Amino acid sequence: GLAYEVGSQHEAEVNYGFFAAHASVDSKNITKAKKLILEQFSKLQHITDKELKEAKNYIEGSFLLDYEDTQKLADGLLFWEHVNKASDMFSYLDRIKKVTKSDVKRVAKKYLTSQCTTTIIRGK
């Protein structure tokens, strides 16, 4: 009941990228919502082997399902070619499988902190 909607977004482009967590909340609940989001980020410092495996399986499944569609496959190949080379797309899952708990903790500690930027947009 705290938020009307909660989600996250990740953009990884050639010249920029970002990760955002967002919540639609009543203005009186902004501080509480931010605190709860940051608490969730801090839990990444205690990620379990099971959680990491589930996350990797989710990424792999989503990746494989997305590229069953020929249009999405063509778009993916174009993206990877634009970034570096199209063949990188085929090693993506191998690189995901190599991610360790230590990697997750290191990245979370660096980027998912209270020092992150907060933007509040009020509706009319």
Side-chain angles (χ1 to χ4, degrees):
L2 176 67
Y4 307 107
E5 180 263 341
V6 176
S8 64
Q9 182 178 357
H10 173 248
E11 288 289 331
E13 297 296 331
V14 176
N15 297 320
Y16 75 95
F18 70 86
F19 172 81
H22 54 87
S24 297
V25 299
D26 188 289
S27 60
K28 68 182 179 193
N29 293 324
I30 291 171
T31 301
K32 185 174 183 178
K34 181 178 177 183
K35 179 179 179 260
L36 290 170
I37 289 169
L38 290 171
E39 283 175 8
Q40 292 302 307
F41 289 164
S42 71
K43 289 180 180 182
L44 289 169
Q45 295 303 317
H46 309 287
I47 189 169
T48 66
D49 290 328
K50 180 182 177 191
E51 290 168 327
L52 182 58
K53 183 178 181 183
E54 287 175 354
K56 290 179 183 184
N57 287 343
Y58 177 82
I59 291 168
E60 181 177 8
S62 296
F63 182 86
L64 294 173
L65 286 173
D66 277 350
Y67 291 133
E68 284 183 355
D69 178 286
T70 55
Q71 179 64 50
K72 288 183 180 179
L73 177 61
D75 289 344
L77 288 168
L78 178 64
F79 169 79
W80 287 99
E81 183 65 28
H82 186 64
V83 171
N84 188 30
K85 58 184 187 258
S87 61
D88 285 350
M89 186 173 101
F90 302 107
S91 63
Y92 173 74
L93 291 178
D94 290 333
R95 293 192 310 274
I96 291 297
K97 289 175 184 176
K98 291 179 183 176
V99 172
T100 66
K101 289 192 308 184
S102 176
D103 294 329
V104 172
K105 291 175 185 181
R106 177 179 41 80
V107 171
K109 186 175 183 179
K110 182 174 181 178
Y111 294 108
L112 303 177
T113 70
S114 61
Q115 300 302 312
C116 62
T117 302
T118 302
T119 302
I120 300 168
I121 302 170
R122 293 193 176 182
K124 292 183 180 189

